[in-house]
Amino acid sequence: MCDCNSTEKSIYLPELAPITKVAMMNETEMYMHLDHDIGHKPGQFVEVSIAGIGEAPISISSSPTEAGFDMVIRKAGRVTDIMHQMQAGDKLGIRGPFGSGYPIDEMKGKDLVFVCGGIGLVPQRSMINYIMDNRADFGKIAILQGTKEFAQRIYHDELERWAGVDGVQVLETIDVAHDSWNGNVGVVTTLIDKIDGIDLTKAVNLICGPPIMYKFVLMVLQEKEVSHENIFVNLERRMKCGVGKCGHCQMNGQYVCQSGPVYRYSDLANIPEAI
Amino acid sequence: MSIKKLNKDVFKSFVDSMIASDQSVVGVKEKVQAKGNKFAFGPLENADQLRLDYDVTLIPPKKYMLPQTETLLTYEVKGESKQHVDEQKLILVGVHPYDMIAINQMDELFSQDEYDTHYMTRRNNITVIACDVVNASENIFASSMETAVVEKGFDILLTDLGKGKEYVAEAITEKGEALLATAVDATDADDKDIAKRSAIQEANKKDLDKHTLNCKPSELSSLLEQAYEHPVWEEKAKTCFSCGSCNTTCPTCYCFDVQDLVNWNLKDGQRERSWDGCLLKDFANVAGDHNFRKQKESRFRHRLYRKGKYVPTKIGGQVACVGCGRCVGACVPDIANPVAVYNRLLEDIKP
Ligand SMILES: Cc1cc2nc3c(=O)[nH]c(=O)nc-3n(C[C@H](O)[C@H](O)[C@H](O)COP(=O)(O)OP(=O)(O)OC[C@H]3O[C@@H](n4cnc5c(N)ncnc54)[C@H](O)[C@@H]3O)c2cc1C
Ligand code: SF4
Ligand code: SF4
Ligand code: FES
């Protein structure tokens, strides 16, 4: 037995990186920035490791066009609870990036519709900001954001900023009416009819939100006769390794940590465990 | 490379000299009461303990490449982690062909895409002495799975030519050749010995057949293509305990869990991986108590799809059930037998 470095580096060994910025976004979500370049693509994720606690898969929320990367953490259990107690200067173990990310080449030149529910905006933002930094490569953009309650909204400054960009429309709604809110009230699907000047059947439609949301959004897109090839969904699964070995993320024959978490909806036709 | 013949005494001193060397030697030992009166792999102290006429072991030899629990990393709590790789050398004696094929599959799975140095370092430090089956176990169906004989993966293959009086030993790697050379009194096997060995192997191809699959293993994938909604999943899974024994006893199951442990000093600890099983209730749980395989029939189906369809796509079509029959014996409600399930599907579906 030995703890010496063997020839090959372990695929399970995280690299320590300091957190450079933290901010609470609302009661449950914490924003974090790490000045640590990992060479990611939009839509990929990392495994965050805290030695003695464990690991959790976390989406990369920023575009590779920016230095370092952002994460948004919802308190859900052991690792994310400790992350919420962390401050700038504390270090996190990072493995990755993992997953296949968004189909950027296919999205180029097309109109794009992002349908986001709650923290579903977190991974979508990595793509949205990539588009903002390469604006000429893409067509019109619609960003639809639905949040349950007013107090849970995230990235509102950024939604405002995007709304000011040429050819970008931002539509936001909350499920439950609130005194300080004079925008749309209702679930995110109610925004779809409000999209202006984009033919959904020709656009690439990218959905990310809680599991329950997919069925409703997909039903509406079905009514609008959007082909399943033009729809991408972002799926969540339990993950233990991130590298296609442990079996936890498997849905039928697919390993979400490798071939996902972003999937073309038509590719899921033979994957009944997907949705 | 050489094919040798070793009589009983030469074989015994060959094994004893391995044991006396600086490498640990593990082999199949006498049935153990505490282990359900089954044969088991364990460290050998002398050649007499080795039982090459065993039928099947309770736990497959995969535990030497992928231990039930192993340390991946050591660390300071909330601090730096270091990788931990076990570099112990080991000679593994008496691996049956079906188990060897399972190990070969696992070698492919742990080295493809992302190279798992923890598994692969252990694997590369093991010298495997495989042996042809002498006594068929109660539930073996290696004949149906085309796993009754094996051609690669081992360093030496032993074949008992009759009641342990004579063995043919063939080395197929440098490592095996060097080891076999230590049996200085071994003679070269002649054509007659090799013909006897072939006869034994040909017989095993037919006789390791306590259950019979009614199609070719290569047809399972297209059978399962059409079987997702078949009533058999519910019929069988009705009595499943979700105990996971069909996973832990299986030589091709390799799914794992990862957990962090903290030592008593609360300062350091280790990240460990341990066997997990897709039949266990929480295997596909995520935050918010959402379980992607909540129903036992969906977990039961997943295992048989992994064996017959999903894993094969990763390893060039090889079926990930090698017909050892261990799960059949381990399953109390007697529903785990892959042959029973696949044959039931074949009654209704043409692959
Ligand atoms: C690709 C991907 C991207 C993600 N991106 C983000 C992100 O950007 N931000 C974010 O906050 N989250 C994200 N998640 C979700 C996050 O990884 C999970 O919430 C994760 O479980 C948090 O880890 P934890 O240690 O804090 O929670 P855990 O301690 O693992 O507990 C979380 C919950 O998981 C379940 N669970 C865990 N272990 C077990 C067990 N042994 N048995 C039964 N149930 C168990 C329980 O329901 C528990 O309540 C992402 C997940 C995936 C797969
Ligand atoms: S599924 Fe059963 S018979 Fe097949 S290899 Fe696994 S334990 Fe052996
Ligand atoms: S061994 Fe039998 S009872 Fe136990 S999980 Fe497997 S199928 Fe179910
Ligand atoms: S997370 Fe382990 S296989 Fe995907």
Side-chain angles (χ1 to χ4, degrees):
Chain A
M1 301 274 236
C2 108
D3 278 334
C4 51
N5 285 326
S6 89
T7 40
E8 296 275 344
K9 182 176 174 239
S10 169
I11 48 177
Y12 307 107
L13 182 67
E15 232 174 276
L16 273 189
I19 302 166
T20 34
K21 195 167 147 197
V22 300
M24 286 308 289
M25 305 174 91
N26 57 35
E27 249 178 52
T28 47
E29 267 80 59
M30 183 190 237
Y31 165 89
M32 276 187 177
H33 179 78
L34 278 74
D35 263 349
H36 180 67
D37 287 322
I38 50 173
H40 70 281
K41 294 193 291 187
Q44 288 190 302
F45 67 96
V46 290
E47 283 283 347
V48 172
S49 162
I50 301 177
I53 310 294
E55 285 190 310
I58 300 292
S59 310
I60 300 169
S61 187
S62 53
S63 160
T65 47
E66 294 155 47
F69 69 95
D70 295 340
M71 298 188 281
V72 172
I73 309 303
R74 169 170 287 183
K75 239 173 135 152
R78 288 159 302 178
V79 174
T80 49
D81 284 359
I82 305 271
M83 288 175 84
H84 267 242
Q85 298 162 22
M86 290 187 148
Q87 295 165 358
D90 290 342
K91 285 180 178 167
L92 284 174
I94 302 290
R95 289 195 297 131
F98 298 124
S100 54
Y102 287 96
I104 296 183
D105 287 339
E106 169 165 351
M107 293 161 73
K108 282 188 179 157
K110 299 227 177 100
D111 292 347
L112 309 172
V113 177
F114 290 89
V115 185
C116 318
I119 54 172
L121 178 60
V122 170
Q124 302 264 57
R125 176 176 174 264
S126 67
M127 188 65 221
I128 295 170
N129 274 334
Y130 180 87
I131 295 165
M132 297 303 161
D133 290 337
N134 295 278
R135 189 65 198 90
D137 292 347
F138 300 89
K140 286 183 223 140
I141 315 292
I143 299 163
L144 280 51
Q145 168 69 16
T147 313
K148 236 190 213 150
E149 287 177 41
F150 178 74
Q152 293 175 331
R153 294 169 66 230
I154 55 168
Y155 284 136
H156 16 90
D157 298 349
E158 209 141 354
L159 287 163
E160 252 173 59
R161 180 168 70 79
W162 295 331
V165 176
D166 211 23
V168 178
Q169 48 190 308
V170 173
L171 301 165
E172 206 187 340
T173 183
I174 57 174
D175 291 5
V176 191
H178 188 274
D179 290 345
S180 321
W181 179 252
N182 45 26
N184 292 293
V185 174
V187 290
V188 73
T189 42
T190 59
L191 297 175
I192 293 176
D193 273 329
K194 302 196 163 120
I195 298 172
D196 185 30
I198 294 180
D199 179 352
L200 290 184
T201 63
K202 297 211 173 82
V204 179
N205 301 272
L206 306 120
I207 314 171
C208 185
I212 175 119
M213 189 189 94
Y214 290 93
K215 283 193 179 129
F216 293 107
V217 175
L218 289 166
M219 260 158 48
V220 175
L221 294 180
Q222 178 92 6
E223 280 164 26
K224 309 261 174 221
E225 296 180 347
V226 177
S227 133
H228 292 181
E229 310 217 324
N230 290 335
I231 300 174
F232 289 84
V233 295
N234 203 323
L235 302 179
E236 185 182 332
R237 281 298 179 279
R238 183 179 185 121
M239 292 184 181
K240 280 289 174 178
C241 73
V243 289
K245 309 285 187 211
C246 77
H248 281 278
C249 68
Q250 206 182 353
M251 47 178 205
N252 301 108
Q254 293 292 317
Y255 287 74
V256 179
C257 68
Q258 292 182 307
S259 56
V262 181
Y263 286 96
R264 186 194 299 276
Y265 187 46
S266 54
D267 289 344
L268 299 178
N270 288 321
I271 306 183
E273 286 183 345
I275 289 182
Chain B
M1 303 228 173
S2 348
I3 308 186
K4 299 273 184 190
K5 186 158 82 169
L6 291 73
N7 70 27
K8 197 174 182 171
D9 292 333
V10 174
F11 181 70
K12 265 184 71 175
S13 56
F14 173 53
V15 175
D16 276 327
S17 73
M18 278 192 267
I19 295 169
S21 78
D22 59 349
Q23 297 200 38
S24 309
V25 182
V26 157
V28 180
K29 293 162 85 168
E30 196 53 75
K31 292 189 181 183
V32 194
Q33 207 69 48
K35 295 186 172 165
N37 209 24
K38 295 262 169 60
F39 288 103
F41 281 95
L44 291 180
E45 286 129 37
N46 58 63
D48 288 329
Q49 289 178 327
L50 184 62
R51 285 288 304 269
L52 289 183
D53 61 340
Y54 77 100
D55 54 0
V56 67
T57 57
L58 177 65
I59 300 289
K62 73 169 178 193
K63 65 176 178 180
Y64 294 104
M65 292 85 185
L66 186 69
Q68 221 142 354
T69 300
E70 71 177 299
T71 298
L72 297 177
L73 308 174
T74 57
Y75 49 69
E76 269 171 61
V77 172
K78 296 191 192 174
E80 189 110 37
S81 301
K82 274 197 268 176
Q83 73 189 58
H84 176 98
V85 178
D86 182 352
E87 303 198 59
Q88 199 191 16
K89 289 207 186 318
L90 190 74
I91 301 173
L92 190 53
V93 193
V95 175
H96 275 166
Y98 51 83
D99 277 337
M100 189 70 245
I101 289 168
I103 291 168
N104 292 345
Q105 294 186 357
M106 221 144 17
D107 293 351
E108 247 179 280
L109 292 158
F110 277 102
S111 60
Q112 68 181 204
D113 302 337
E114 304 265 358
Y115 188 87
D116 189 308
T117 189
H118 305 272
Y119 175 96
M120 290 307 295
T121 303
R122 247 198 217 90
R123 174 67 183 97
N124 292 332
N125 278 320
I126 297 177
T127 305
V128 181
I129 303 182
C131 76
D132 280 314
V133 177
V134 175
N135 288 308
S137 69
E138 193 183 355
N139 286 307
I140 192 162
F141 52 98
S143 300
S144 280
M145 304 318 287
E146 299 164 4
T147 53
V149 296
V150 63
E151 272 148 25
K152 58 172 200 210
F154 53 84
D155 298 284
I156 296 174
L157 176 67
L158 287 174
T159 312
D160 181 348
L161 295 186
K163 305 224 151 60
K165 286 191 194 125
E166 274 178 339
Y167 292 92
V168 166
E170 178 174 9
I172 65 160
T173 63
E174 294 296 337
K175 237 182 351 182
E177 186 74 11
L179 183 58
L180 191 53
T182 64
V184 282
D185 293 327
T187 53
D188 285 336
D190 59 26
D191 290 349
K192 248 171 50 200
D193 301 323
I194 292 169
K196 266 195 211 162
R197 180 177 76 163
S198 300
I200 288 167
Q201 292 175 337
E202 286 310 308
N204 277 350
K205 282 187 190 171
K206 293 203 290 295
D207 300 341
L208 304 182
D209 66 341
K210 298 297 168 66
H211 307 280
T212 306
L213 180 67
N214 295 330
C215 70
K216 288 201 214 93
S218 57
E219 291 173 318
L220 286 174
S221 179
S222 71
L223 171 71
L224 291 172
E225 195 74 61
Q226 311 160 62
Y228 203 72
E229 305 292 349
H230 195 278
V232 72
W233 311 118
E234 212 186 317
E235 272 167 38
K236 293 272 180 188
K238 260 197 312 235
T239 52
C240 174
F241 300 151
S242 302
C243 67
S245 301
C246 49
N247 294 130
T248 37
T249 56
C250 180
T252 67
C253 274
Y254 65 97
C255 289
F256 57 82
D257 188 25
V258 180
Q259 296 286 342
D260 281 18
L261 294 187
V262 176
N263 297 333
W264 285 108
N265 62 12
L266 302 181
K267 282 189 187 135
D268 43 40
Q270 52 284 339
R271 181 161 294 166
E272 296 190 338
R273 93 164 137 202
S274 45
W275 294 354
D276 208 341
C278 60
L279 267 289
L280 299 171
K281 202 163 75 340
D282 293 335
F283 187 81
N285 254 20
V286 294
D289 243 350
H290 190 78
N291 188 339
F292 286 100
R293 252 175 254 114
K294 196 188 241 138
Q295 313 294 337
K296 12 184 209 189
E297 55 266 30
S298 63
R299 297 192 295 273
F300 184 82
R301 175 175 59 196
H302 186 68
R303 171 175 157 264
L304 287 147
Y305 265 74
R306 260 184 83 95
K307 304 295 173 210
K309 189 167 190 291
Y310 304 153
V311 178
T313 62
K314 290 184 149 241
I315 51 174
Q318 300 172 73
V319 170
C321 166
V322 294
C324 71
R326 289 184 178 93
C327 60
V328 185
C331 178
V332 175
D334 192 18
I335 51 171
N337 186 349
V339 173
V341 174
Y342 296 143
N343 282 351
R344 170 75 185 84
L345 292 173
L346 286 161
E347 287 171 16
D348 296 336
I349 304 166
K350 257 201 162 49

